[in-house]
Amino acid sequence: MKVIYTDVLIIGGGLAGLRVATGVKERGHDAVVLTLVPPKRSHSAAAQGGMQASLANSKMGEGDNEDVHFSDTIKGSDWGADQIVARMFTHCAPKAIRELAHWGVPWTRVKRGDRTAIINAKKVTITEKDEAHGLITARDFGGTKKWRTCYTSDGTGHSMLFAMDNKAHEDKVEIHERLEAISLIHEHGRCFGAVARNLMTGELVAYVSRATTIATGGYGRIYSVSTNAIICQGIGQAIALETGVATLGNMEAIQFHPTAIVPVGILTTEGCRGDGGLLLDKDGYRFMPDYEPEKKELASRDVVSRRMTEHMRKGKGVKSRYGDHLWLDITILGREHIEKNLREVKEICENFLGIDPAKEWIPVRPTQHYSMGGIRTKYTGESQTLKGLYSCGEAACWDLHGFNRLGGNSVSETVVSGMLVAEYISDYLESPESHLSIHTANVAKFVHKEQEKIDALLSRENGEDAYVLRRRMEEIMMDKVGIFRNGDDLKEAVDELEELYKRSKSIEVFRSKSHAANPALENAYRTQKMLKVALCVAYGALLRTESRGAHSREDFPRRDDENWLKRTITSWVKEDDTLPTVTYEDIDINTMEMPPGFRGYGKDLTDHNKDTAHRQSTVDMIRKHLEAEGADRFHIQNVLMPFKDKLPKKYRGINERFGENI
Amino acid sequence: MSENKNRILKISILRFDPNDPEDFPHMETFEVEEADGMTLFVALNEIREHHDNSLKFDFVCRAGICGSCSMLVNGKPTLACRTLTKKLGENITLAPLPLFELIGDLSIYTGKWMRGLNERLETWIHDKENELQVDKLEERMEPELADEIYELDRCVECGCCVAGCGTIQMRPDFVGAVGLNKVARYHLDPRDKRDDEEYYEMIGDEDGVFGCMTLLGCEDVCPKDLPLQSKIAYLRRMMIKQGLK
């Protein structure tokens, strides 16, 4: 048995994982990053449009600050987010972006003087201040009051990931590439690392660590069409679930991005609409203002995706052999703008559609895009139930996004959560409770168990075809656990997924019997894990009889704060269970800085909780009283919902901002 | 009817499993019915799913963003995921990118090579003077300069330029266009405080900028259309100046 010991095992080499690695290194701890692919190829690289941070440098960002970013994020989440986490996040986002600037990201900058922009289909002139020249600029994104999304053309994730990976090189972070964690090693409620399989040689390796972090991204690939990279299969969530101890949060909260190209589902950034692009129907008619007169194309993603679907259901979609779609028109932005700020979009249109987006419309429709759910953690990133297991980024649910994430908040979350979780892990490592206490004989048991599973897959005959099960799962998720959901479909989905899961226990790896690099074997064991994740999503969606954010039930169209202002907690208690166990965690209105309200889209369909009005009046009273006393916004915020004590000391400082606190 | 019929593509793949002692490199041909908008990503997955599930290849983003799927398509290095089959003839030949360690079939170990390169050229910001202060306003940068740096930062480390390089065939330690482009990127970046002398130490030899035979296959095959030719020429002028000092 090969055993590798380290202080921190990090599973996943995207932005979040690498940021944890450099953070713990800085504190003097060892880290090993396990990654399926070279870190620079992680799905973080596909983030196009940008990173939200309330810098307020550009003219259209004036007046922005942490408070506005916080309020946008909470509204976006449909009040599902953890408000303490959202506060920590919005406070640290400017720090994270400045850190990345220091490490080399060539953020697009403010240029003094006049420039032309397209806002609401009209050309307008924006005049940037002299004093802001050369600071980091921002573009508009959906669901935000200010232009807050900082970017490098439309290759933001790429630039961030390259800078981050290069920083990891500088810090001599150990990267173990093409290693896949296939189970967690744990005992007595404590995690001690993972069993990993070398995807080149097939060797199983036990990584024994004092702290383990899962930063493997989302689980979009349980759907047949997703903007996600093909490696986003939810294996990180699955191995946490399979411990029977760690829990997942809000797995049914799945975001559909309004504008992925048809049919392949590759993303075109929200920056297209942020920069002034329009959505058009089969008649070339701009329909969004009819549905959302105020925010139009720039409503929250969940809202725009639903409106598009509604419009197509009215027969206004463009017919194609791949089903209906709508048009994204960015021709009005002009070639110069597209070639400078939407380059990836242009390349994608040229290569995959054979069109020139400066001249032609782009065929788009809403497509699975983001997993708000994930491994349920405390604000420290540590699992609520499995000590020593941490998670951050899209893989986790510390709960920044609630039931809908704002565009630009995901890459921002990766680096912010990474920098924070690195500190909490380091604190843990510096405490006596982090000592290793597992016997190697018990480590060996975990390795043997995985070896047996693999041997069984390779030796079984007359078994099930993993591809057949997997394709059916993807179809079910797409057809029955999609943008609009209803009880009947969801029930069918859960039943059939459960059946598929049972069948998956007898998967046979056809033809390809190698123990070494073997894509068929990988597909076999991943399919078993993905089915568990899919069941968590579908079952959570069936049980949640309300509509909140991206979870939209046609049979329960109202947001029900009285009964459903709570987080879904999913676990897989016994190994031979065929359905996950679902419980709930209340979200306390009485500690909220921003009590539940109306998001401002369409008709208000909220059934309020009885505590809401009381909390709102308390908040209003405190605010009024303190404002009368001349208290500043920081003081008022601190009285309403203190959070700074939870932050690592080094990140508690007040952010300088163009025109504030300098 | 017949004009609506899809083409049957004959895709020949250079196959070899280095983990199998009995295997040897050989060509294997698969027939795949072409579909509208089919890319090599779609075709290869169809082969794996329906013909031979042991076929090894590397795709991640499948959107031309991550640089994983570089391979030789009819002999030319390119990204397979964004290669539409309709732009190719009925007979398609696929082979792994040369010069990189082979994992199996079309799957290659670019990660290790690129990591070695990055460590060798220290492709990160070198700045001992300014300590990062996360609470303070960021350092300013001219907007045009930021755009120029981003232009070079767009490299996806796919390795196509390495596979298309004549020099590296003879000088295995040559840094390649990918390496020189990175040096140009950091040289341009005022946040990196390395001076010309330090760069000269790093690339002022035949494994660096003076090794390039200016065949410029790199520029022909770069999927991101990076200005490799002009950047190599620029570095060369600069290094000659430094060398003459």
Side-chain angles (χ1 to χ4, degrees):
Chain A
M1 179 177 68
K2 184 167 166 185
V3 184
I4 292 175
Y5 292 93
T6 182
D7 291 330
V8 192
L9 176 68
I10 296 158
I11 303 167
L15 278 170
L18 292 174
R19 185 60 189 84
V20 172
T22 59
V24 297
K25 283 291 262 196
E26 195 188 313
R27 290 273 298 263
H29 306 292
D30 269 342
V32 172
V33 176
L34 301 187
T35 162
L36 296 175
V37 298
K40 285 190 172 95
R41 311 215 189 288
S42 304
H43 187 50
S44 305
Q48 297 171 358
M51 162 173 177
Q52 282 208 42
S54 59
L55 300 182
N57 292 326
S58 69
K59 177 73 194 160
M60 300 301 286
E62 262 178 29
D64 199 11
N65 59 34
E66 298 87 354
D67 296 354
V68 190
H69 190 185
F70 169 77
S71 148
D72 285 346
T73 301
I74 298 305
K75 272 190 197 165
S77 80
D78 219 353
W79 277 271
D82 182 320
Q83 299 199 0
I84 294 274
V85 166
R87 264 294 170 192
M88 292 166 66
F89 163 74
T90 52
H91 172 79
C92 290
K95 302 181 200 302
I97 199 169
R98 285 166 178 163
E99 188 175 76
L100 285 161
H102 189 77
W103 292 340
V105 175
W107 297 107
T108 302
R109 302 289 169 143
V110 178
K111 191 176 160 72
R112 62 166 71 91
D114 289 352
R115 68 189 165 99
T116 308
I118 307 282
I119 300 175
N120 193 20
K122 287 187 195 70
K123 271 194 182 164
V124 291
T125 301
I126 296 172
T127 309
E128 298 290 359
K129 285 191 176 141
D130 267 6
E131 310 88 274
H133 184 78
L135 296 172
I136 296 171
T137 193
R139 60 167 34 132
D140 200 5
F141 249 42
T144 64
K145 275 215 180 73
K146 303 283 177 185
W147 291 25
R148 186 186 301 124
T149 305
C150 307
Y151 60 98
T152 54
S153 183
D154 60 349
T156 313
H158 165 89
S159 283
M160 291 171 69
L161 184 61
F162 270 51
M164 197 65 246
D165 188 43
N166 291 334
K167 172 74 180 147
H169 285 317
E170 181 187 1
D171 293 351
K172 300 196 171 11
V173 170
E174 250 188 88
I175 309 266
H176 295 191
E177 188 186 314
R178 296 194 192 244
L179 267 125
E180 177 175 21
I182 54 174
S183 83
L184 292 177
I185 299 166
H186 63 102
E187 171 177 86
H188 312 309
R190 164 100 193 269
C191 183
F192 291 102
V195 179
R197 181 171 172 272
N198 184 319
L199 297 174
M200 294 179 285
T201 64
E203 183 186 26
L204 294 189
V205 184
Y207 283 86
V208 176
S209 58
R210 296 199 285 146
T212 305
T213 307
I214 296 181
T216 49
Y219 41 90
R221 284 285 160 181
I222 59 173
Y223 285 80
S224 58
V225 187
S226 167
T227 64
N228 287 188
I230 58 166
I231 52 173
C232 301
Q233 298 174 313
I235 304 304
Q237 286 86 2
I239 60 174
L241 188 69
E242 285 178 339
T243 60
V245 184
T247 59
L248 308 182
N250 287 348
M251 291 296 281
E252 69 272 32
I254 300 280
Q255 179 172 83
F256 287 75
H257 193 289
T259 61
I261 63 170
V262 178
V264 287
I266 295 171
L267 178 73
T268 60
T269 172
E270 186 155 309
C272 291
R273 283 169 290 131
D275 292 1
L278 305 175
L279 291 169
L280 307 177
D281 67 13
K282 66 171 185 177
D283 305 317
Y285 175 72
R286 185 186 176 199
F287 57 93
M288 277 307 294
D290 295 350
Y291 294 98
E292 297 298 337
E294 198 197 326
K295 292 295 283 183
K296 306 177 184 73
E297 281 85 357
L298 289 171
S300 259
R301 282 181 181 169
D302 58 325
V303 176
V304 179
S305 287
R306 277 198 294 278
R307 296 309 200 183
M308 290 169 76
T309 308
E310 265 180 80
H311 202 62
M312 286 191 281
R313 285 180 176 181
K314 289 180 187 163
K316 296 292 184 182
V318 184
K319 301 267 177 251
S320 85
R321 71 166 78 183
Y322 303 106
D324 289 3
H325 66 77
L326 293 160
W327 299 113
L328 171 63
D329 174 12
I330 60 170
T331 60
I332 52 168
L333 308 184
R335 181 169 302 280
E336 196 191 339
H337 180 92
I338 292 170
E339 287 179 355
K340 179 173 180 291
N341 288 319
L342 297 167
R343 298 179 62 154
E344 297 298 331
V345 168
K346 182 165 178 280
E347 273 190 19
I348 286 164
C349 288
E350 287 167 350
N351 290 311
F352 293 93
L353 298 167
I355 64 163
D356 174 0
K359 285 200 292 205
E360 292 160 90
W361 297 343
I362 309 167
V364 294
R365 79 175 152 229
T367 300
Q368 194 289 335
H369 180 61
Y370 189 82
S371 315
M372 273 78 72
I375 297 165
R376 179 73 185 123
T377 72
K378 309 172 200 172
Y379 70 84
T380 57
E382 190 178 31
S383 161
Q384 293 178 326
T385 43
L386 184 55
K387 205 163 178 47
L389 176 68
Y390 291 77
S391 181
C392 63
E394 190 176 349
C397 175
W398 62 332
D399 200 359
L400 173 62
H401 309 302
F403 276 75
N404 175 64
R405 170 178 72 77
L406 291 185
N409 262 356
S410 66
V411 277
S412 200
E413 178 190 33
T414 61
V415 284
V416 170
S417 64
M419 69 197 245
L420 294 178
V421 170
E423 297 302 318
Y424 300 125
I425 290 178
S426 299
D427 294 343
Y428 172 65
L429 292 176
E430 286 156 22
S431 77
E433 50 180 351
S434 74
H435 287 305
L436 282 179
S437 57
I438 189 167
H439 200 291
T440 47
N442 293 339
V443 172
K445 278 185 202 157
F446 281 89
V447 177
H448 290 150
K449 189 171 167 191
E450 292 309 307
Q451 191 62 58
E452 276 170 15
K453 283 195 225 167
I454 286 169
D455 293 345
L457 283 169
L458 289 171
S459 61
R460 191 172 291 128
E461 282 175 27
N462 303 317
E464 297 277 356
D465 182 342
Y467 279 110
V468 171
L469 303 183
R470 181 161 162 194
R471 296 298 170 234
R472 184 62 200 141
M473 168 193 74
E474 293 168 353
E475 274 172 27
I476 295 169
M477 294 307 291
M478 206 69 200
D479 297 343
K480 298 182 177 174
V481 200
I483 296 177
F484 284 107
R485 303 167 173 182
N486 66 70
D488 293 341
D489 280 353
L490 289 168
K491 179 77 176 66
E492 279 174 31
V494 171
D495 289 347
E496 200 183 339
L497 287 168
E498 188 180 9
E499 200 49 45
L500 292 178
Y501 173 66
K502 289 177 189 162
R503 285 168 63 188
S504 77
K505 292 184 176 185
S506 54
I507 285 176
E508 169 195 353
V509 180
F510 293 98
R511 295 181 290 271
S512 180
K513 300 289 189 188
S514 170
H515 272 83
N518 184 348
L521 172 63
E522 286 141 29
N523 183 53
Y525 63 69
R526 288 178 194 167
T527 297
Q528 293 173 326
K529 293 186 189 319
M530 289 169 84
L531 274 162
K532 284 186 179 156
V533 173
L535 268 167
C536 293
V537 176
Y539 197 34
L542 171 65
L543 297 178
R544 184 173 283 271
T545 50
E546 66 150 359
S547 291
R548 185 180 298 274
H551 172 71
S552 181
R553 288 281 298 255
E554 288 168 305
D555 44 353
F556 296 95
R558 301 182 70 82
R559 190 182 92 198
D560 180 357
D561 283 356
E562 187 59 42
N563 297 300
W564 284 105
L565 192 61
K566 47 194 183 187
R567 243 164 240 128
T568 309
I569 303 294
T570 313
S571 57
W572 205 279
V573 178
K574 288 201 291 287
E575 223 176 301
D576 53 3
D577 284 349
T578 56
L579 271 184
T581 300
V582 175
T583 57
Y584 294 93
E585 174 190 321
D586 283 329
I587 300 176
D588 185 8
I589 292 173
N590 292 310
T591 55
M592 281 184 185
E593 178 180 340
M594 191 173 161
F598 173 44
R599 289 171 89 200
Y601 300 117
K603 254 196 334 201
D604 186 0
L605 292 174
T606 311
D607 292 329
H608 281 288
N609 186 289
K610 58 180 183 319
D611 291 347
T612 297
H614 177 250
R615 177 62 184 168
Q616 188 63 56
S617 67
T618 309
V619 167
D620 292 344
M621 209 172 62
I622 294 173
R623 190 178 289 282
K624 200 172 142 195
H625 180 70
L626 290 172
E627 274 171 1
E629 280 180 3
D632 66 12
R633 66 182 182 90
F634 300 103
H635 181 73
I636 297 172
Q637 193 287 322
N638 186 54
V639 173
L640 289 173
M641 189 185 71
F643 71 97
K644 285 237 175 128
D645 59 312
K646 298 195 163 56
L647 284 171
K649 282 206 176 68
K650 65 200 272 195
Y651 297 129
R652 288 184 192 172
I654 289 177
N655 296 312
E656 273 191 11
R657 181 173 281 108
F658 182 59
E660 192 194 33
N661 309 324
I662 296 185
Chain B
M1 273 304 279
S2 63
E3 51 210 39
N4 289 334
K5 224 171 158 191
N6 291 327
R7 293 193 301 173
I8 302 295
L9 303 173
K10 290 169 202 67
I11 302 179
S12 303
I13 301 172
L14 177 56
R15 303 203 59 183
F16 178 51
D17 181 356
N19 282 303
D20 180 355
E22 286 168 27
D23 199 15
F24 56 91
H26 61 284
M27 296 301 290
E28 190 170 354
T29 303
F30 299 92
E31 292 196 351
V32 175
E33 187 183 343
E34 192 172 32
D36 197 47
M38 184 180 250
T39 59
L40 287 176
F41 165 72
V42 176
L44 283 168
N45 274 291
E46 204 168 303
I47 293 173
R48 182 190 275 177
E49 192 164 336
H50 300 294
H51 299 278
D52 187 339
N53 59 6
S54 70
L55 183 65
K56 291 174 256 309
F57 46 74
D58 297 319
F59 289 100
V60 179
C61 77
R62 61 80 176 88
I65 289 169
C66 77
S68 299
C69 61
S70 39
M71 60 180 72
L72 296 180
V73 178
N74 293 334
K76 194 179 165 187
T78 193
L79 298 179
C81 73
R82 65 178 210 186
T83 303
L84 291 165
T85 54
K86 73 174 177 200
K87 293 190 174 168
L88 305 169
E90 272 172 33
N91 295 301
I92 301 166
T93 307
L94 303 178
L97 220 52
L99 292 155
F100 296 96
E101 195 176 318
L102 182 75
I103 293 170
D105 301 332
L106 301 170
S107 174
I108 49 167
Y109 205 172
T110 49
K112 187 173 164 189
W113 197 95
M114 293 296 168
R115 193 156 58 242
L117 178 80
N118 283 309
E119 281 165 7
R120 178 172 154 202
L121 298 178
E122 302 193 354
T123 55
W124 52 83
I125 300 286
H126 291 59
D127 183 2
K128 298 240 154 49
E129 302 155 28
N130 300 303
E131 208 175 312
L132 166 68
Q133 289 181 303
V134 289
D135 299 340
K136 301 275 178 224
L137 218 57
E138 64 274 13
E139 228 178 293
R140 287 166 201 265
M141 184 183 272
E142 278 306 309
E144 291 79 10
L145 179 59
D147 294 346
E148 241 181 292
I149 296 169
Y150 174 67
E151 181 67 29
L152 305 184
D153 210 39
R154 293 180 74 236
C155 169
V156 295
E157 297 189 359
C158 62
C160 285
C161 62
V162 177
C165 176
T167 303
I168 211 163
Q169 306 275 352
M170 295 183 298
R171 295 185 181 283
D173 291 332
F174 181 55
V175 295
V178 53
L180 295 173
N181 176 67
K182 282 176 190 293
V183 172
R185 181 240 176 273
Y186 283 92
H187 185 260
L188 189 63
D189 196 326
R191 294 169 293 194
D192 191 6
K193 309 296 182 205
R194 281 179 284 187
D195 59 20
D196 286 359
E197 201 182 321
E198 287 170 83
Y199 282 116
Y200 188 82
E201 283 300 308
M202 208 159 58
I203 56 155
D205 61 10
E206 291 176 330
D207 285 331
V209 77
F210 298 122
C212 171
M213 300 187 296
T214 59
L215 297 172
L216 298 168
C218 53
E219 172 129 348
D220 293 343
V221 297
C222 175
K224 291 286 153 186
D225 296 321
L226 295 172
L228 301 172
Q229 179 178 355
S230 64
K231 287 303 149 192
I232 292 172
Y234 163 75
L235 280 181
R236 211 176 249 210
R237 284 196 303 275
M238 188 191 84
M239 287 297 125
I240 289 172
K241 247 195 264 169
Q242 179 62 33
L244 293 175
K245 263 188 196 167

